[in-house]
Amino acid sequence: MDKTEILKQYLPDAAAPVIAKWIDYFQCEFKVSRNRGTKFGDYRSPFDGKGHRISVNYNLNAYAFLVTTVHEFAHLYTWDQHQHKAKPHGTEWKSNFKRMMKPFFDLEIFPPDIKRAISNYLDNPAASSCSDLTLFRALKNYDVKEALVISVEKIPANGLFKWKDGRVFRREELLRKRYRCVEVSTNRVYLFNPVAEVELVKAS
Ligand SMILES: [Zn+2]
């Protein structure tokens, strides 16, 4: 399978081709890893004949997977520029992370709450580890809880469902062959195939 297609299983669709390009451009060995309780991702600089290596936990939701991937690529790029002269989460890393996050902001991949959490994170000079708590709490809201997968046509009218990237939609009427659905956080209208598999969201 093509690299982009594989990455789409973990990342928001629009982000996959960008990350695939980075993997090639930086000649990075990119691995989807088992869950490591203590960290979401990992970067290793070239050593002993091996090139750049990045691994990201498989069980992160698409947004958390993307943020972690960009975080690690910012380590890679900072290494290329400065090697040992830059601190792991110092000013060089921060400015690279900010720069490398930009294409995904431009693609409007993130829902508003995550966008806000990332912007705060980028402006907060105290953030010093690979996992900022406020940011990851915002990302965690998009984890799948008690997943109940059904097709769009089985969602009751005006019922809520979650798409695989975590965005929540309200199912409205059938227009010709597709359902009109409204993304709750943006009020944007999307058309869904009746048999698309989604996750039912229980009204709170
Ligand atoms: Zn880090």
Side-chain angles (χ1 to χ4, degrees):
M1 215 193 295
D2 166 65
K3 202 180 288 144
T4 304
E5 290 307 309
I6 296 171
L7 288 168
K8 277 182 186 171
Q9 296 171 16
Y10 302 97
L11 289 163
D13 284 359
V18 182
I19 299 299
K21 220 183 283 166
W22 288 3
I23 291 172
D24 291 341
Y25 180 79
F26 292 111
Q27 301 194 351
C28 173
E29 188 190 309
F30 187 88
K31 262 194 192 144
V32 177
S33 142
R34 69 191 163 80
N35 181 32
R36 295 156 293 187
T38 52
K39 56 181 176 184
F40 300 116
D42 183 62
Y43 165 69
R44 287 172 198 210
S45 50
F47 174 74
D48 211 12
K50 288 186 174 150
H52 299 290
R53 280 162 295 161
I54 287 174
S55 65
V56 179
N57 292 3
Y58 81 97
N59 63 337
L60 299 173
N61 70 55
Y63 298 125
F65 195 97
L66 176 58
V67 171
T68 304
T69 299
V70 177
H71 178 117
E72 303 306 340
F73 267 104
H75 279 307
L76 181 159
Y77 194 46
T78 306
W79 172 267
D80 263 358
Q81 294 172 312
H82 307 283
Q83 288 83 45
H84 289 295
K85 279 171 270 163
K87 289 203 182 111
H89 301 101
T91 47
E92 298 86 352
W93 175 84
K94 277 193 186 108
S95 81
N96 283 334
F97 184 56
K98 208 173 216 170
R99 242 181 91 197
M100 294 169 99
M101 223 50 228
K102 197 175 176 294
F104 307 103
F105 281 140
D106 292 347
L107 289 166
E108 295 190 20
I109 281 172
F110 298 110
D113 57 337
I114 292 187
K115 211 171 159 181
R116 218 174 307 122
I118 296 171
S119 304
N120 290 340
Y121 176 66
L122 292 171
D123 292 337
N124 173 16
S128 63
S129 81
C130 285
S131 47
D132 174 81
L133 273 186
T134 317
L135 174 56
F136 273 88
R137 222 167 265 142
L139 291 167
K140 240 191 136 24
N141 289 336
Y142 290 82
D143 277 356
V144 172
K145 286 166 204 127
E146 49 176 321
L148 180 53
V149 174
I150 62 174
S151 53
V152 169
E153 62 193 351
K154 299 229 174 79
I155 301 278
N158 297 313
L160 299 179
F161 67 87
K162 205 186 263 185
W163 184 236
K164 64 171 180 174
D165 62 7
R167 289 186 294 163
V168 175
F169 297 86
R170 187 175 57 248
R171 201 219 87 183
E172 298 190 341
E173 73 273 25
L174 186 66
L175 301 171
R176 291 170 180 271
K177 285 179 177 164
R178 285 166 186 262
Y179 279 99
R180 178 189 146 95
C181 300
V182 178
E183 186 184 1
V184 173
S185 66
T186 60
N187 264 328
R188 279 194 214 155
V189 172
Y190 292 80
L191 296 177
F192 275 80
N193 189 309
V195 295
E197 288 196 322
V198 297
E199 190 196 323
L200 180 66
V201 173
K202 296 204 185 81
S204 51

